[in-house]
Amino acid sequence: MRKRIFQIILVILITVFCLAGVSSAAEFWLRAGTFIKTMPDGVQVPMWGFARCTANFASCNPLRVPGPPLIVPPGENTLVIHVRNNLAGPYTEPVSLVIPGQAMPTDGTASSPAPVKVPDENGNLRVRSLVHETAVGSDGVYVWNALKSGTYLYQSGTHQAVQIQMGLYGPLKMDAAPGRAYTGVPFDREVMLFFSEIDPALHTAVVTNNYGPGKAMTSTMYYEPKYFLINGEPYSSATSAIPAGSAGQRVLIRFLNAGLESHVPILDRHYMSVLAEDGNVFEHPKEQYAPLLAAGKTLDAMITPKAQGTYAVYDRMLSLTNAAASPGGMLAHLRIASAPAGAASHGQR
Amino acid sequence: MRSIMMQRFRWFPVMAVLLLLGASPALAAIQGVTGTTFNLTAKADHISTPDGGSIHMWGYALNNGRMQYPGPTLILNQGDTISITLTNNLPPGAGNVSILAPGQSGGTATGGVQGLITREAPPGGSVTYNFVAAEPGTYAYYSGTRPELQVEMGLIGTIIVRPAGFNEASNKTAYGHPETRYDDEFLFLLSEMDPNIHELVEAGLMNMVDNTKYFPVYWFINGRAAPDTMLDANVSFLPTQPYNCLPMTRPGGRLLMRIVNASRDLHPYHTHGNHHKVIAFDGRLLESAPGAGPDLAVADFTTSVPPGGTADGVFQWYAKAGWDIYGTDNGHDCVDGNGDDLDDSTYEYCPDHGKPFPVDLPHKNDTTFGAFWGGGPFLGTAEPLPPGEGGFNPNGAYFFMWHSHSEKELTNFDIFPGGMLTMMFVEPPSPPLINP
């Protein structure tokens, strides 16, 4: 009898340990491909971008820039992203994925990340990719363990000088708990403002195989962006205001900058409580109206709007044209609704 | 350029002497206008660059006076309700104009027409902005109409809000908290310029301006490029650039730096001589809790303020020079009652008291003098110099360059020195220990 009880306990223990060991994983399928993006002035820019696909790439949404938001449920420990490289010629490259602020991914079997090195003209090995690559026409898998909560960019880890600029980037977030961006940071609503830039001359050179040593455009040295995007679009008369909660609510703004230049987002008539950068929460939030959103960076900021209205958010580094045409660029509007009757206000410092 | 520089500098020693003759120990004050109701007019004019250039500008004028670059510094009192009426007298074709005061939360705009960011004054018309100066601090203001063009053209300025209880004579603080007290305050409004844009606008070719090809070649502090930064304020030959930037302090004094980045680039502003403690960004103290004071202040030698934003820094100078900065032959004491190794009134570093100057200075016949050389290596030394030498340093002050550390910004259209640069004087204690 005593032996039987012991066996039951053992079975229970093994079951518990097995469940713990097979903790759930967030799993996404992204297709990288080539597409044409039309600017407000009619200019057509060749882009590389990501599309969200269903499991095993059964079906895919259209390609987009920035790539589809990847929302990892709170508490996940492991992230698996499958990448299908469908870049189309005449010029293509292998691609990969990294998430600055998280550990380097592996392919799920290797014990450590595997940078890819290629010989230059002198035979010296140079790093082309920070992690293992996915060749054109094939699928790859990228696995992160010990995920950290926060707001992050995902982007290609291969030939980054070109591939990030070409559009292989997107946002990823994981909340610490439902309704809490970080421990001790509750919010009612959230808005994402994703900044990036496009230099059409660079894009054309890359896709037509005129980019690189000895070719028409040798490097990104003379990078000169003409279009400045918030959430993938430069401002135009067709831009509509972004709903951003209502007066009295705690509205979390997630700022991301995949551009090669820094920007300074100012929300008219509001201070922001900047509470985290690069997925790291501050011990003391900073009250600012002009935070620096450096290239490659993410910032999380909280506002508690006092009054309903439509408020402009603009880049104070003044990237406010579409090529030479004004207005344009990094200008958007947040629409704050009036406070619902009887709603509790969280006030504002 | 050299002759221009010398000509302009001839005023400077007169000014410095006048400052020291005054009974008040204050070394300078930030120029500006006070009140609760302001009338500004946007209009065009020209400014001068130290290399002889004359640049077409748009700017804010006080009432219907002359346009100035930057616009009038508005000095407000905490809690006051402020009304600013802007009238648009820009040249035909310039379009609307407006004012954003990004540090003033809330607020309303009335009149004019609705723009993309705020209400705007149409050509010949006006618009009124109202807000409460709720919190003390340093803030920017600038045009919110086609800002990539109008900010560049010169429609920029500073708002300073004095804390409740502020008193120029007896209670000078930046934010009310005693840890934000200061002896002297100076404005550092940073800006830059691509003259091609101004030439196109002046020629009526505004539509040829390409914002994506922006390439500045002039850099300014308070609307002047060096060496004009060091001229007196309101000199007659710079009628549209009334503000100077000549920071001065005494050993141990608290110099409040109000840095405003009115431009579109980062300018890492660097203080030689010692670090400064950054106590606030964008008019908000770096504090762990309301009322705590600047307990999260950081000590920096270089501060980059994001465009449109501001920072306040407290700079204090004291020497660990390796020699007795007040000389060894005049019988002064070094009294350190509080154990900080510094004299309690002169801020001499007592471990260096009585140490001789470590090198033998060459004879005057073997020396080439700089204009800032006062005649000796000791603070307050103003020894005789050969005729025509020195002259910019009548009190034997120590001099330190304060400048943007983006070194290319120390030029006027490719000519060094110039640009975003000035000199900070450490004047001897008052009264001076030497040559009283």
Side-chain angles (χ1 to χ4, degrees):
Chain A
M1 183 62 188
R2 187 184 271 179
K3 188 179 178 186
R4 178 154 179 80
I5 290 172
F6 180 71
Q7 281 175 335
I8 290 171
I9 291 173
L10 192 66
V11 166
I12 291 172
L13 280 176
I14 287 171
T15 308
V16 167
F17 279 129
C18 284
L19 284 174
V22 195
S23 76
S24 59
E27 195 164 12
F28 299 95
W29 284 263
L30 293 180
R31 169 181 172 261
T34 305
F35 70 109
I36 299 291
K37 189 170 178 61
T38 304
M39 292 295 137
D41 54 9
V43 170
Q44 297 201 312
V45 184
M47 303 285 298
W48 293 348
F50 286 116
R52 178 90 183 262
C53 302
T54 56
N56 303 311
F57 300 103
S59 69
C60 293
N61 289 331
L63 293 160
R64 49 173 285 175
V65 167
L70 302 184
I71 301 166
V72 181
E76 294 286 8
N77 194 51
T78 301
L79 169 66
V80 178
I81 304 180
H82 304 268
V83 175
R84 173 165 288 179
N85 184 345
N86 275 168
L87 291 184
Y91 181 76
T92 59
E93 292 183 344
V95 301
S96 63
L97 271 188
V98 293
I99 302 173
Q102 304 281 2
M104 284 295 190
T106 67
D107 63 4
T109 57
S111 57
S112 61
V116 177
K117 301 172 186 176
V118 293
D120 64 12
E121 62 270 28
N122 299 321
N124 298 318
L125 286 178
R126 288 171 174 268
V127 174
R128 180 174 71 190
S129 182
L130 301 176
V131 292
H132 61 283
E133 296 177 336
T134 299
V136 172
S138 63
D139 296 348
V141 63
Y142 297 84
V143 178
W144 289 261
N145 292 308
L147 267 188
K148 269 177 67 201
S149 61
T151 306
Y152 299 93
L153 288 164
Y154 67 83
Q155 59 192 28
S156 177
T158 303
H159 198 183
Q160 289 185 307
V162 160
Q163 292 195 5
I164 294 173
Q165 162 56 203
M166 290 298 288
L168 293 175
Y169 50 72
L172 179 142
K173 67 155 187 175
M174 183 170 85
D175 286 337
R180 277 177 165 64
Y182 301 89
T183 303
V185 182
F187 62 92
D188 303 312
R189 280 289 295 260
E190 64 177 305
V191 178
M192 182 183 74
L193 295 173
F194 193 114
F195 289 65
S196 60
E197 306 135 9
I198 294 174
D199 176 356
L202 175 63
H203 286 231
T204 302
V206 168
V207 296
T208 57
N209 197 17
N210 283 306
Y211 176 92
K215 299 178 186 172
M217 182 178 278
T218 54
S219 73
T220 52
M221 183 81 179
Y222 298 105
Y223 177 68
E224 194 175 79
K226 298 293 180 189
Y227 301 100
F228 306 91
L229 289 58
I230 294 179
N231 295 346
E233 298 295 337
Y235 179 82
S236 76
S237 56
T239 307
S240 53
I242 302 166
S246 50
Q249 282 191 317
R250 296 165 300 196
V251 180
L252 176 70
I253 307 178
R254 300 181 193 263
F255 292 103
L256 303 94
N257 183 4
L260 275 58
E261 297 183 345
S262 295
H263 300 285
V264 174
I266 293 185
L267 176 60
D268 186 42
R269 285 175 280 168
H270 284 81
Y271 271 83
M272 293 182 270
S273 183
V274 182
L275 57 93
E277 62 179 42
D278 299 338
N280 294 311
V281 69
F282 296 148
E283 188 173 346
H284 300 285
K286 300 175 186 171
E287 300 296 316
Q288 284 186 278
Y289 67 74
L292 178 65
L293 181 60
K297 199 166 191 65
T298 73
L299 294 177
D300 294 308
M302 197 75 79
I303 60 169
T304 309
K306 282 181 183 162
Q308 71 167 97
T310 301
Y311 301 97
V313 56
Y314 56 96
D315 174 26
R316 188 52 181 73
M317 285 191 158
L318 304 181
S319 301
L320 296 173
T321 57
N322 298 332
S326 172
M330 288 168 171
L331 170 66
H333 293 87
L334 298 187
R335 189 172 66 244
I336 307 291
S338 55
S345 171
H346 294 284
Q348 188 175 28
R349 276 188 63 188
Chain B
M1 148 121 187
R2 181 155 182 81
S3 64
I4 293 171
M5 178 167 147
M6 297 307 290
Q7 185 188 4
R8 289 181 176 176
F9 264 131
R10 70 176 183 233
W11 298 101
F12 165 68
V14 178
M15 181 210 65
V17 169
L18 285 175
L19 276 170
L20 281 189
L21 286 177
S24 163
L27 293 166
I30 292 180
Q31 292 217 324
V33 290
T34 57
T36 57
T37 302
F38 301 92
N39 291 291
L40 302 182
T41 307
K43 49 172 74 173
D45 210 320
H46 288 76
I47 65 164
S48 296
T49 52
D51 53 3
S54 178
I55 310 278
H56 180 69
M57 302 290 288
W58 297 346
Y60 297 110
L62 185 63
N63 299 315
N64 199 24
R66 211 159 164 184
M67 171 230 106
Q68 62 176 77
Y69 181 63
T73 297
L74 308 181
I75 301 177
L76 316 178
N77 292 316
Q78 183 180 6
D80 282 355
T81 299
I82 306 301
S83 171
I84 303 174
T85 297
L86 172 66
T87 301
N88 183 353
N89 282 356
L90 290 175
N96 298 350
V97 68
S98 60
I99 294 176
L100 297 175
Q104 312 305 326
S105 300
T108 58
T110 52
V113 295
Q114 183 61 45
L116 288 172
I117 301 177
T118 187
R119 295 193 74 81
E120 306 175 332
S126 61
V127 61
T128 299
Y129 305 96
N130 292 285
F131 60 86
V132 176
E135 300 287 337
T138 308
Y139 306 93
Y141 72 87
Y142 49 84
S143 175
T145 306
R146 206 174 166 178
E148 77 285 352
L149 179 70
Q150 296 199 355
V151 167
E152 162 70 18
M153 288 303 292
L155 290 157
I156 56 176
T158 301
I159 292 174
I160 292 171
V161 180
R162 301 290 191 202
F166 177 85
N167 186 302
E168 184 69 45
S170 60
N171 187 24
K172 286 197 287 193
T173 70
Y175 288 88
H177 193 278
E179 282 302 303
T180 68
R181 72 190 185 282
Y182 62 88
D183 298 303
D184 300 285
E185 60 174 339
F186 296 91
L187 178 65
F188 301 83
L189 180 142
L190 311 179
S191 63
E192 72 217 355
M193 176 192 291
D194 177 350
N196 288 333
I197 293 175
H198 298 249
E199 287 169 15
L200 287 170
V201 169
E202 186 168 28
L205 303 172
M206 201 170 89
N207 288 337
M208 287 183 64
V209 173
D210 185 347
N211 179 52
T212 66
K213 293 193 173 296
Y214 184 66
F215 194 82
V217 293
Y218 288 107
W219 292 270
F220 303 87
I221 306 175
N222 299 344
R224 295 183 186 178
D228 291 355
T229 47
M230 291 172 275
L231 294 167
D232 201 355
N234 301 310
V235 286
S236 61
F237 46 85
L238 295 174
T240 55
Q241 295 153 279
Y243 300 149
N244 70 345
C245 182
L246 197 61
M248 304 171 95
T249 187
R250 294 193 175 90
R254 293 171 68 90
L255 188 165
L256 176 67
M257 309 170 65
R258 297 184 184 269
I259 310 173
V260 178
N261 186 351
S263 77
R264 59 192 292 174
D265 278 347
L266 293 170
H267 306 288
Y269 200 71
H270 179 58
T271 54
H272 277 265
N274 204 353
H275 63 264
H276 52 272
K277 277 180 93 170
V278 180
I279 61 169
F281 274 109
D282 296 349
R284 292 294 180 270
L285 269 187
L286 298 174
E287 59 183 358
S288 60
D295 57 342
L296 302 178
V298 288
D300 269 333
F301 285 95
T302 305
T303 294
S304 275
V305 180
T310 71
D312 295 304
V314 174
F315 176 90
Q316 282 186 284
W317 186 87
Y318 39 84
K320 295 181 182 176
W323 71 90
D324 188 330
I325 58 169
Y326 295 118
T328 54
D329 58 359
N330 57 11
H332 71 274
D333 292 326
C334 198
V335 181
D336 174 18
N338 59 8
D340 64 356
D341 283 346
L342 301 169
D343 182 278
D344 298 338
S345 60
T346 68
Y347 291 87
E348 178 184 352
Y349 181 56
C350 288
D352 283 348
H353 182 66
K355 284 188 186 170
F357 194 63
V359 296
D360 291 327
L361 289 173
H363 189 272
K364 288 190 174 79
N365 291 350
D366 302 324
T367 305
T368 300
F369 298 95
F372 292 127
W373 177 244
F378 304 114
L379 188 60
T381 302
E383 291 173 6
L385 289 166
E389 299 291 358
F392 292 175
N393 184 4
N395 304 309
Y398 282 171
F399 275 71
F400 299 90
M401 191 198 283
W402 281 13
H403 61 98
S404 167
H405 232 303
S406 284
E407 309 288 344
K408 73 178 273 188
E409 299 178 353
L410 307 185
T411 56
N412 297 324
F413 215 148
D414 217 16
I415 305 296
F416 175 90
M420 199 173 279
L421 174 166
T422 191
M423 303 298 285
M424 187 277 295
F425 301 35
V426 180
E427 287 287 323
S430 180
L433 296 188
I434 307 170
N435 299 330

